[in-house]
Amino acid sequence: MHKPFTDKPIQRIGEDGRKIGRWTLDLTEDQLRTMHRDMVRARVFDEKLVTILRQGKTSFYAQSSGMEGTQVGLAHAVRPGHDWIWPYYRDQGLAIGLGVSVRDLLAQCLGTSEDLCRARQMPHHFGVRNYNFVSISSSIANQVAPATGTAMAQQYLGTDEITVCTFGDGATSEGDWHAGLNMAGVAKAPIMFVCENNQWAISVDFKGQTASTNIAVKAHAYGMPGYYVDGNDVLAVHSVVSEVAERMRAGEGPALVECLTYRIGSHSNADADAEKQYRSREEVELWRSRDPITRFERFLAAEGLSVDAAAIRAAAQREVEDAITATEATGTPGWDVMFEDVYEDVPAHIALQREYVRAEQEA
Amino acid sequence: MHKPFTDKPIQRIGEDGRKIGRWTLDLTEDQLRTMHRDMVRARVFDEKLVTILRQGKTSFYAQSSGMEGTQVGLAHAVRPGHDWIWPYYRDQGLAIGLGVSVRDLLAQCLGTSEDLCRARQMPHHFGVRNYNFVSISSSIANQVAPATGTAMAQQYLGTDEITVCTFGDGATSEGDWHAGLNMAGVAKAPIMFVCENNQWAISVDFKGQTASTNIAVKAHAYGMPGYYVDGNDVLAVHSVVSEVAERMRAGEGPALVECLTYRIGSHSNADADAEKQYRSREEVELWRSRDPITRFERFLAAEGLSVDAAAIRAAAQREVEDAITATEATGTPGWDVMFEDVYEDVPAHIALQREYVRAEQEA
Amino acid sequence: MTALQDKETAVSTSATLSLNLIQAINLAMREEMRLDERVVLFGEDVGARGGVFLATEGLQAEFGRRRVFDTPLSEASIVGAAVGMAVRGLRPIAEIQFADYMGPGFDQIVSQAAKIRYRSGGQFTAPLVIRTPSGGGVRGGHHHSQSPEAYYAHTPGLKVVMPSTPYDAKGLLKAAVRSDDPVIFFEPKRIYRAFKEDVPEGDYVVELGRAAVRREGADLTIVGYGGVMPDALKVADALKAEGVSVEVVDLRSIVPWDRETVLNSVAKTGRALLVSEAPRTANFMGEVAYTIQEELFDALLAPVSQVAGFDTPYPYAQDKVYLPGPNRMLRAAAKLLGY
Amino acid sequence: MTALQDKETAVSTSATLSLNLIQAINLAMREEMRLDERVVLFGEDVGARGGVFLATEGLQAEFGRRRVFDTPLSEASIVGAAVGMAVRGLRPIAEIQFADYMGPGFDQIVSQAAKIRYRSGGQFTAPLVIRTPSGGGVRGGHHHSQSPEAYYAHTPGLKVVMPSTPYDAKGLLKAAVRSDDPVIFFEPKRIYRAFKEDVPEGDYVVELGRAAVRREGADLTIVGYGGVMPDALKVADALKAEGVSVEVVDLRSIVPWDRETVLNSVAKTGRALLVSEAPRTANFMGEVAYTIQEELFDALLAPVSQVAGFDTPYPYAQDKVYLPGPNRMLRAAAKLLGY
Ligand SMILES: Cc1ncc(C[n+]2csc(CCOP(=O)(O)OP(=O)(O)O)c2C)c(N)n1
Ligand SMILES: Cc1ncc(C[n+]2csc(CCOP(=O)(O)OP(=O)(O)O)c2C)c(N)n1
Ligand SMILES: [Mg+2]
Ligand SMILES: [Mg+2]
């Protein structure tokens, strides 16, 4: 059993890929390979999206590069399509790890006709019903209280589902974050709050965000355990999350898991040039050298498991390219989707507005 | 030095009035007598207000009976008119302890012409500029972030003032509460957050409010010390608050002080009949028997300091009665105060509305 | 007070009760909870306490603490939880103790509840009801008297409702619970107990989006909703005695509002008096006024006129001066009739 | 673009700069901070980063971290802190990164900033400015494009401003900082860098509450504010070429708004087209429309008409269809002129 409230982040493997402490691997070779492949796929997704962003095919993108240990570790520890996820906007690695198809993600980024969200949200704000991956809101931390509600519903319905709610370090400052965790504590709802602490909220560092020693200790305020985990150690993340998830299914109530990681890319494309004003290249380089994928590859090698990294990358690149071609071919939705899904049906006043635009478009 | 994060509430005197542990009294006889008198005055104020409420002279009242140890202990540990207070609606004992005149309080409760707030707020929502006692908002916890702002201003201006922000146990669940404490932690602002934990928020008990072990531990989330104090022990409250206040003036940053107490009256007059539905008479009686005034009187007696409780009560009663008579004699403000103080001046659209009503009133 | 009920309202009931507005609300919730296990009810003090106005009285006793429960003191938690429950398949009814306290839950309402269907392309929806007492007249000062409906009416994705009679309160609340969209259900607290009316027990709904014509008339149309309606009816009756025939339209639904009924009425009378109690500037009636003058420019015999609250925070002591009462309505009506 | 400046605006300046709107905002803050030690500036990413739109660029470098600082990610903290600082004697300028993110600070705005003067009988006041980029046209989807000004216009106690030119942006922001009332200062982000204009260096203010007549005309009045203004002017110019004389009024201040200038104009032209981009239902222009038809019923030659946003959340891909552009305005103008 992992201990909450440790002073140092929980780790399973060191930078050198060697095991830390005594533990037995409970993952099959296949699972390990999939984990690795998903991390690479997430990284490649980032790289490709930055490229097509430059080409003007999409207008917004926020990389999760450097955070794959956290996102894929988490994804592989929950039950896709069974558990519910209230993610935040930087969770492409989580989506990929859960099994969401790259094509579905790209359809949203490009706003094509097969975009499940019908081209209404900014690019990179996914939502995939099949995976219970709830549509992302840009408004920081406002998924937290709803996530608690979903967990309360799961409890009410007597399911063995859990809810996972993710967010950044910056999100923990919002009032709604507090509201969601406090209510979950009282309700003993089966929800895991996962902080992807990448140490920056745009240009604001951790010390500018909160004076607490870390995020995990904030769990004291809600009567739930807080785990402080090395988020660049995919096995540590996977192990803590798996354990906590199973306890939650057994009715043990909510938990907060902080995954300490780093965003090695810019906050978003809108921030790309501004970065140097607020963080040093040395810091970025230091964390680049702590790459979660490399670390995991060292572990796999130490375990005698060889992976053909180049082939995996190449396959991932093809996967994204093919998805782009395929989804682009579906075209883009017409102007009139704008007037749907405001309500279940189209009420009279909106129908009038639609007719007004129709006349305009047809003129 | 008092220790933060104790398991049990910090105490100075027991129920029997005897000293607990070793400490030396740093209060003069005069100070002790004033403290006692202010506690009695606050209690009598409650009793009288409940009476005039029944007479229909005022329409809302929320007793602080049982909480005088907390409110008067706090009041006597800050510098009136120098430090700033962002209080909440149950703080009449705090106001009285600071030195606010009973007449000013009554003018607000009765909405007379000398009401400093000009009869615009519900009764019992005081605001007194001379005492930096900021006008109370009914909206729970929304004084917290502003209080932090006041402390940041004090810091910016280089004063040795501090800010005190009070609130109930229920208030700690609001998002704004979190927002205010977190920002204070980051800013290292000179602010003391004082939770008057009376164990109920209308009908919701502490366990229904939060799963944390107490309120003080929530300070961990903000990187500040959290003190858990027996709020029915006026000397414990006074001692902790004085010490923390002086450290704050020296630049040591914010703190959270939880005073564990109990409201022995109903939540407000609106709740008077409903109480029995949610809490047992035994519980109320138990806490009645832990009366902070009686406890302090036992201490005074043990210290050989005799007080004439009956005379003090009688004087306090006269004080309130005289204030009622005096403030009632000033009459009530006219209808037109309604249109002032929305802005610094009366803009044209409001002036038009005022003229409209004037015509109506004169018709 | 009698109401001209909608013709199409399907009533299949057993008995008829004489209820005031808040009792009708209580009954609506009780019935919906009996009918549908997915309906849960929560908020501050709604459990043992039965709500500070007793709207939820007896419901925890009947349905237990799993289905009717108190929450921590946080409107963001309450609304947020309702959104998350609704997304997962429940039909939550969330009580906000006073409409004035929707503020801390505002972002949850406008960013989550209102937009989740749209932003997800219909994949996720939030069929929830937020019930909250609103309006003045109870000496509550500005934190227990406000009428914030315009904020929500201006937020696409929300339905906004305010009944003015017990019959409607029950039927509208039942319709709100069954609606697949988030509904903000304002309860005019000053008429919670103002009068009783015959309310059928059992199942009927009052369709959202349809106004009721409370009085038929030919000379002037008064449009209102919520707490101002009893006074509006008094005014119509007083004018009738003077030989002026007033049509009174109760919007009941604010979003969507019943353009057709209002326009038909004003087309007939040529004069419109819009009555509400929120501050005048940018209130909801501005929208109604705009629509009337746009659609009926040539039919209007006088400018569309409003009686509303003033552009001040809601004052405590001047409560009576602030609120639009029958005299103010009569004065405005006279002006319109004499235009 | 030239602007007919107010006659009474006192300009006492040294040089003249050619600035775009966001540069003018930056200059206004720089000057006010140089003039008044009480002015402090904070928000998310306003320090080293200079704001996500660079409105605060260089200000931390000049004034230091004590006066220009980043806050934790919480709009309630930001607005709340501004209230508390203002009450203690400072003149805070708080930046909210996007108007769409005012939600978490909503209760602080409407319950504290807007009401503290009133509820305290003038004993405590909150002279603060909340600056925030608003409006669409930047492909931001519904969380980076909204126009929530009606919420605040409907809240007594707040002043609400939205400039449309660099000159006004500077003068209005300076007036806002000096105002003893809380001012919500919306910045139309899509025209932050749309054009430059001569802006005097040094001290001048544009009085809050006064509209500007941007074009004089006799046949039709277009009233707008903020990001729609450049298109409104284009429309006026296009119509002029066709021999139609359009008067264009830029409100600049939404609360208080300049009834006199608007009514004088429409009294002259007899036709009013109100242009804004927030959703139509219960938007601010409903108030303007109501006032015009009430005051000028007999002078109107056609119904007051609106071009506005639609009653949907702001859509990402249909951004261009959603926003009222020149064509839509022309169509509406033609309808009014042919009425
Ligand atoms: C309520 C709200 N306020 C501000 C923003 C603007 N904003 C977008 S991302 C961001 C920083 C978020 O930081 P963090 O939570 O640490 O997540 P990260 O981007 O680092 O993954 C900010 C301030 C927003 N989207 N929502
Ligand atoms: C934002 C908000 N929500 C709800 C209320 C209604 N309300 C008034 S007092 C109260 C309970 C407050 O409890 P607590 O903070 O413990 O203070 P106490 O009254 O016990 O001193 C509630 C829910 C309110 N005033 N403001
Ligand atoms: Mg971060
Ligand atoms: Mg309490």
Side-chain angles (χ1 to χ4, degrees):
Chain A
M1 282 233 322
H2 292 288
K3 281 212 197 79
F5 304 119
T6 53
D7 288 337
K8 294 211 174 133
I10 297 170
Q11 293 185 317
R12 292 242 129 166
I13 53 176
E15 285 299 336
D16 56 5
R18 285 182 200 280
K19 282 190 178 182
I20 291 177
R22 269 195 290 156
W23 52 273
T24 29
L25 193 63
D26 50 0
L27 292 161
T28 64
E29 180 181 326
D30 209 46
Q31 285 174 313
L32 293 169
R33 286 188 186 283
T34 315
M35 230 177 213
H36 172 259
R37 199 179 56 239
D38 284 349
M39 288 169 79
V40 174
R41 288 169 70 219
R43 178 70 56 88
V44 166
F45 190 83
D46 264 15
E47 293 165 0
K48 282 281 169 194
L49 267 282
V50 170
T51 308
I52 68 164
L53 184 88
R54 290 213 189 91
Q55 295 163 355
K57 289 197 187 202
T58 182
S59 63
F60 178 81
Y61 193 70
Q63 299 169 59
S64 70
S65 290
M67 299 164 64
E68 295 89 347
T70 296
Q71 296 186 353
V72 174
L74 169 60
H76 283 237
V78 300
R79 301 193 197 159
H82 178 78
D83 295 331
W84 280 65
I85 322 284
W86 282 84
Y88 87 119
Y89 55 79
R90 203 184 291 285
D91 273 334
Q92 55 269 36
L94 175 54
I96 287 173
L98 281 171
V100 176
S101 81
V102 164
R103 181 155 165 185
D104 277 342
L105 299 181
L106 275 160
Q108 202 281 326
C109 288
L110 303 180
T112 65
S113 289
E114 59 182 11
D115 173 6
L116 295 166
C117 300
R118 309 192 77 192
R120 301 220 186 86
Q121 267 269 48
M122 263 178 96
H124 201 260
H125 283 66
F126 316 115
V128 189
R129 186 67 179 84
N130 281 350
Y131 286 86
N132 301 332
F133 190 86
V134 183
S135 161
I136 294 162
S137 159
S138 309
S139 194
I140 300 283
N142 87 344
Q143 74 278 27
V144 181
T148 296
T150 294
M152 289 166 77
Q154 293 168 328
Q155 192 179 41
Y156 177 81
L157 295 168
T159 70
D160 72 342
E161 303 162 14
I162 67 164
T163 295
V164 170
C165 177
T166 61
F167 42 81
D169 40 309
T172 64
S173 297
E174 287 282 5
D176 279 19
W177 184 83
H178 174 73
L181 271 85
N182 189 58
M183 187 179 232
V186 171
K188 290 213 170 305
I191 178 163
M192 185 165 5
F193 299 101
V194 179
C195 180
E196 305 186 21
N197 179 0
N198 61 14
Q199 307 185 49
W200 288 92
I202 309 186
S203 70
V204 179
D205 66 5
F206 190 79
K207 282 201 162 48
Q209 201 59 249
T210 182
S212 73
T213 49
N214 57 36
I215 299 296
V217 297
K218 293 181 190 265
H220 282 302
Y222 312 108
M224 60 178 79
Y227 297 89
Y228 186 36
V229 185
D230 183 338
N232 280 9
D233 179 347
V234 66
L235 294 178
V237 174
H238 185 269
S239 169
V240 171
V241 172
S242 304
E243 182 189 301
V244 172
E246 291 323 308
R247 282 216 305 275
M248 239 164 234
R249 290 187 214 285
E252 283 196 28
L256 171 61
V257 177
E258 172 184 7
C259 300
L260 185 70
T261 179
Y262 195 80
R263 104 170 127 70
I264 56 177
S266 56
H267 170 73
S268 76
N269 56 302
D271 193 51
D273 300 326
E275 250 201 275
K276 57 184 178 310
Q277 295 162 343
Y278 60 78
R279 63 180 190 178
S280 71
R281 288 328 292 173
E282 293 73 54
E283 180 182 304
V284 178
E285 287 314 317
L286 176 68
W287 281 93
R288 259 185 209 287
S289 76
R290 297 179 180 160
D291 192 305
I293 302 182
T294 317
R295 182 154 153 202
F296 190 45
E297 285 172 354
R298 288 191 191 118
F299 168 78
L300 293 176
E303 294 285 304
L305 236 152
S306 73
V307 291
D308 183 346
I312 295 171
R313 276 188 69 82
Q317 284 166 338
R318 265 195 317 278
E319 183 187 16
V320 178
E321 281 156 16
D322 291 351
I324 294 173
T325 314
T327 199
E328 277 187 333
T330 67
T332 52
W335 62 267
D336 51 334
V337 300
M338 185 174 110
F339 293 105
E340 287 161 25
D341 294 328
V342 182
Y343 300 97
E344 191 195 6
D345 46 15
V346 179
H349 65 295
I350 297 183
L352 276 176
Q353 297 179 352
R354 183 169 57 186
E355 290 322 301
Y356 171 89
V357 175
R358 191 185 305 284
E360 206 178 62
Q361 295 286 324
E362 286 169 1
Chain B
M1 282 230 326
H2 292 289
K3 283 213 198 78
F5 303 119
T6 53
D7 287 336
K8 294 212 174 133
I10 297 169
Q11 293 184 317
R12 292 242 129 167
I13 53 176
E15 286 297 337
D16 56 4
R18 286 184 200 278
K19 282 189 178 184
I20 293 176
R22 268 194 292 155
W23 51 275
T24 31
L25 193 63
D26 51 359
L27 292 162
T28 64
E29 181 181 327
D30 208 46
Q31 286 174 314
L32 292 170
R33 284 190 187 282
T34 315
M35 233 178 211
H36 172 259
R37 199 178 56 236
D38 283 349
M39 289 169 77
V40 175
R41 288 169 71 219
R43 178 70 56 91
V44 167
F45 190 84
D46 265 14
E47 293 165 358
K48 281 281 168 192
L49 267 282
V50 170
T51 308
I52 68 164
L53 185 87
R54 291 215 188 90
Q55 295 163 355
K57 289 198 186 204
T58 183
S59 62
F60 178 80
Y61 193 71
Q63 299 170 59
S64 69
S65 290
M67 298 164 65
E68 296 90 345
T70 295
Q71 296 187 353
V72 173
L74 169 59
H76 282 238
V78 299
R79 301 194 197 159
H82 178 77
D83 295 330
W84 280 65
I85 321 284
W86 281 84
Y88 86 119
Y89 54 80
R90 202 183 292 284
D91 273 334
Q92 54 270 34
L94 174 54
I96 287 173
L98 282 171
V100 176
S101 79
V102 164
R103 181 155 164 185
D104 278 342
L105 299 181
L106 274 161
Q108 202 282 325
C109 288
L110 303 181
T112 64
S113 289
E114 59 183 11
D115 173 6
L116 295 166
C117 299
R118 308 190 79 191
R120 301 220 186 87
Q121 268 268 50
M122 261 177 98
H124 201 259
H125 284 65
F126 315 115
V128 188
R129 186 68 178 83
N130 281 349
Y131 286 85
N132 301 331
F133 190 86
V134 182
S135 159
I136 294 162
S137 159
S138 310
S139 193
I140 300 284
N142 85 345
Q143 74 277 26
V144 181
T148 296
T150 294
M152 289 166 79
Q154 293 169 328
Q155 192 179 40
Y156 177 81
L157 294 168
T159 69
D160 72 340
E161 303 162 14
I162 68 165
T163 296
V164 171
C165 177
T166 61
F167 43 81
D169 41 307
T172 65
S173 296
E174 287 282 4
D176 279 20
W177 184 84
H178 173 73
L181 272 85
N182 188 57
M183 186 178 232
V186 171
K188 291 214 167 305
I191 177 163
M192 185 165 5
F193 298 102
V194 180
C195 181
E196 305 185 19
N197 180 359
N198 62 14
Q199 307 185 50
W200 289 92
I202 309 186
S203 69
V204 179
D205 65 6
F206 190 80
K207 282 201 164 46
Q209 202 57 250
T210 183
S212 72
T213 48
N214 58 36
I215 299 295
V217 297
K218 293 181 190 264
H220 282 301
Y222 312 109
M224 62 177 79
Y227 298 90
Y228 186 35
V229 184
D230 182 337
N232 279 8
D233 178 347
V234 67
L235 293 178
V237 174
H238 185 269
S239 170
V240 171
V241 172
S242 304
E243 183 190 300
V244 172
E246 290 323 309
R247 282 215 306 276
M248 237 165 235
R249 289 188 214 283
E252 283 195 31
L256 171 61
V257 178
E258 171 183 7
C259 301
L260 184 70
T261 178
Y262 195 80
R263 106 170 125 68
I264 56 178
S266 56
H267 169 74
S268 75
N269 55 302
D271 192 52
D273 300 328
E275 251 202 276
K276 57 185 178 311
Q277 293 162 341
Y278 60 78
R279 63 179 190 178
S280 70
R281 287 328 290 172
E282 292 73 52
E283 180 182 304
V284 178
E285 287 315 316
L286 176 67
W287 281 92
R288 259 186 208 284
S289 75
R290 297 178 181 161
D291 191 304
I293 302 182
T294 317
R295 182 153 153 204
F296 190 46
E297 285 172 353
R298 289 192 191 115
F299 167 78
L300 293 176
E303 293 286 302
L305 237 151
S306 72
V307 290
D308 184 346
I312 295 171
R313 275 189 69 83
Q317 285 167 337
R318 264 196 318 278
E319 184 187 16
V320 178
E321 281 157 16
D322 291 350
I324 294 173
T325 314
T327 199
E328 278 187 331
T330 68
T332 52
W335 61 268
D336 51 336
V337 302
M338 185 174 111
F339 293 104
E340 287 161 26
D341 295 326
V342 183
Y343 300 97
E344 191 196 6
D345 45 15
V346 179
H349 66 294
I350 297 183
L352 277 175
Q353 297 179 351
R354 183 171 55 186
E355 290 322 300
Y356 172 90
V357 175
R358 190 185 306 283
E360 206 176 65
Q361 296 286 324
E362 286 169 3
Chain C
M1 176 174 311
T2 58
L4 307 179
Q5 304 302 356
D6 293 1
K7 289 165 210 94
E8 79 296 348
T9 293
V11 185
S12 68
T13 55
S14 33
T16 283
L17 305 166
S18 175
L19 302 180
N20 63 30
L21 199 145
I22 197 164
Q23 291 169 328
I25 286 168
N26 183 280
L27 181 60
M29 292 191 280
R30 193 182 298 271
E31 288 183 6
E32 290 303 296
M33 294 190 75
R34 285 182 185 162
L35 282 173
D36 187 348
E37 276 265 8
R38 296 171 308 169
V39 181
V40 294
L41 168 62
F42 50 91
E44 293 155 12
D45 308 295
V46 301
R49 176 74 174 76
V52 296
F53 289 100
L54 301 182
T56 60
E57 198 175 19
L59 298 181
Q60 188 177 68
E62 176 166 349
F63 300 101
R65 289 167 164 267
R66 257 181 79 241
R67 290 186 72 189
V68 180
F69 55 93
D70 293 329
T71 63
L73 207 175
S74 160
E75 291 72 18
S77 303
I78 294 170
V79 179
V83 170
M85 289 180 185
V87 163
R88 183 59 195 83
L90 304 188
R91 295 259 152 182
I93 305 176
E95 176 175 308
I96 299 293
Q97 205 162 83
F98 286 87
D100 315 74
Y101 301 135
M102 295 169 85
F106 186 76
D107 195 54
Q108 287 296 333
I109 299 174
V110 307
S111 297
Q112 285 288 7
K115 296 187 175 69
I116 193 163
R117 178 193 289 276
Y118 195 74
R119 74 164 192 260
S120 72
Q123 294 182 90
F124 301 96
T125 59
L128 57 88
V129 180
I130 297 172
R131 284 182 42 245
T132 189
S134 80
V138 299
R139 306 207 74 194
H142 63 234
H143 264 119
H144 301 87
S145 306
Q146 292 171 97
S147 296
E149 61 273 10
Y151 298 148
Y152 305 100
H154 185 53
T155 304
L158 302 176
K159 293 188 169 168
V160 182
V161 169
M162 180 145 23
S164 81
T165 69
Y167 179 93
D168 280 0
K170 183 180 164 194
L172 287 168
L173 183 50
K174 289 170 76 91
V177 171
R178 297 174 193 191
S179 163
D180 280 333
D181 293 306
V183 179
I184 313 291
F185 191 89
F186 289 106
E187 302 174 359
K189 68 173 95 74
R190 73 174 144 131
I191 57 169
Y192 263 157
R193 296 183 165 79
F195 57 91
K196 294 194 174 188
E197 183 180 65
D198 282 352
V199 174
E201 228 179 2
D203 218 23
Y204 71 93
V205 297
V206 172
E207 200 188 325
L208 306 185
R210 309 233 10 207
V213 177
R214 301 284 180 205
R215 294 281 189 281
E216 288 187 11
D219 302 327
L220 165 71
T221 302
I222 298 185
V223 182
Y225 56 81
V228 301
M229 290 312 299
D231 284 348
L233 294 173
K234 266 189 218 150
V235 165
D237 295 343
L239 287 171
K240 191 172 185 182
E242 292 177 27
V244 180
S245 151
V246 178
E247 181 141 312
V248 181
V249 179
D250 180 353
L251 285 185
R252 305 194 291 197
S253 280
I254 298 173
V255 175
W257 65 282
D258 189 343
R259 293 164 52 100
E260 206 185 320
T261 299
V262 171
L263 293 175
N264 285 344
S265 176
V266 182
K268 181 172 67 171
T269 62
R271 295 183 180 88
L273 174 61
L274 315 181
V275 185
S276 63
E277 61 178 273
R280 225 299 293 283
T281 294
N283 67 6
F284 178 72
M285 286 303 191
E287 177 64 24
V288 178
Y290 172 72
T291 306
I292 294 173
Q293 65 86 39
E294 193 190 29
E295 299 293 329
L296 300 174
F297 187 70
D298 299 313
L300 280 175
L301 303 171
V304 181
S305 182
Q306 280 199 53
V307 169
F310 298 111
D311 288 314
T312 77
Y314 199 102
Y316 170 71
Q318 291 76 24
D319 192 296
K320 289 249 164 54
V321 184
Y322 186 88
L323 269 187
N327 289 341
R328 203 165 283 159
M329 297 181 203
L330 276 169
R331 225 175 115 207
K335 204 172 154 197
L336 278 180
L337 292 161
Y339 191 85
Chain D
M1 175 174 310
T2 56
L4 306 180
Q5 305 302 356
D6 293 0
K7 287 165 212 95
E8 79 298 347
T9 294
V11 185
S12 69
T13 55
S14 34
T16 282
L17 304 166
S18 175
L19 301 179
N20 64 30
L21 198 144
I22 197 165
Q23 290 168 328
I25 285 169
N26 183 279
L27 181 60
M29 291 191 280
R30 193 183 298 272
E31 288 183 6
E32 289 304 295
M33 293 190 77
R34 285 182 184 160
L35 282 173
D36 187 348
E37 277 266 10
R38 297 172 305 171
V39 181
V40 294
L41 168 62
F42 50 91
E44 293 156 11
D45 307 295
V46 301
R49 177 73 173 75
V52 296
F53 289 100
L54 301 182
T56 60
E57 199 176 20
L59 298 181
Q60 188 176 69
E62 175 166 347
F63 300 102
R65 290 167 164 269
R66 257 181 78 239
R67 290 186 71 190
V68 180
F69 55 92
D70 293 329
T71 62
L73 208 174
S74 161
E75 292 71 20
S77 303
I78 294 169
V79 180
V83 170
M85 289 179 184
V87 163
R88 183 59 194 82
L90 303 188
R91 295 257 154 183
I93 305 176
E95 176 174 307
I96 299 293
Q97 205 162 83
F98 286 87
D100 315 74
Y101 301 136
M102 295 169 85
F106 186 77
D107 195 54
Q108 287 296 333
I109 300 173
V110 307
S111 297
Q112 285 287 8
K115 296 187 174 70
I116 192 163
R117 179 192 290 275
Y118 195 75
R119 77 165 190 257
S120 71
Q123 295 182 91
F124 301 95
T125 60
L128 57 88
V129 180
I130 296 172
R131 284 183 41 245
T132 189
S134 79
V138 299
R139 306 206 73 192
H142 62 235
H143 264 120
H144 301 88
S145 307
Q146 292 171 97
S147 296
E149 62 272 10
Y151 297 148
Y152 305 100
H154 186 54
T155 305
L158 301 176
K159 292 188 170 168
V160 183
V161 169
M162 178 140 29
S164 82
T165 69
Y167 179 93
D168 280 0
K170 182 179 163 193
L172 287 168
L173 184 49
K174 288 169 77 90
V177 170
R178 297 174 193 190
S179 164
D180 280 333
D181 292 306
V183 180
I184 313 291
F185 191 89
F186 288 107
E187 303 175 359
K189 67 173 96 74
R190 74 175 143 129
I191 57 168
Y192 262 157
R193 295 182 165 80
F195 58 92
K196 292 193 173 188
E197 181 179 66
D198 282 353
V199 174
E201 231 182 355
D203 218 25
Y204 71 90
V205 297
V206 173
E207 201 189 324
L208 306 184
R210 308 236 9 210
V213 178
R214 300 284 181 204
R215 295 282 189 279
E216 288 188 11
D219 303 329
L220 166 70
T221 301
I222 298 185
V223 182
Y225 55 81
V228 302
M229 290 312 300
D231 284 348
L233 294 174
K234 267 189 217 150
V235 164
D237 296 343
L239 288 171
K240 191 173 184 180
E242 292 177 27
V244 179
S245 153
V246 178
E247 182 142 311
V248 181
V249 179
D250 180 354
L251 285 185
R252 305 194 292 197
S253 280
I254 297 173
V255 174
W257 66 281
D258 188 345
R259 291 164 54 100
E260 207 185 319
T261 299
V262 171
L263 293 175
N264 284 345
S265 177
V266 182
K268 182 172 67 174
T269 63
R271 295 182 178 89
L273 174 60
L274 315 182
V275 185
S276 63
E277 60 178 273
R280 227 299 293 284
T281 294
N283 67 6
F284 178 72
M285 286 303 191
E287 177 65 23
V288 178
Y290 172 72
T291 306
I292 294 173
Q293 66 86 38
E294 192 191 29
E295 297 293 330
L296 301 174
F297 187 69
D298 298 313
L300 280 175
L301 304 171
V304 181
S305 182
Q306 279 200 54
V307 170
F310 298 113
D311 288 315
T312 76
Y314 199 101
Y316 170 71
Q318 291 76 26
D319 192 297
K320 289 249 164 52
V321 183
Y322 186 88
L323 269 187
N327 289 341
R328 204 165 284 157
M329 296 181 203
L330 277 169
R331 226 176 116 208
K335 203 172 154 199
L336 277 181
L337 292 161
Y339 192 86

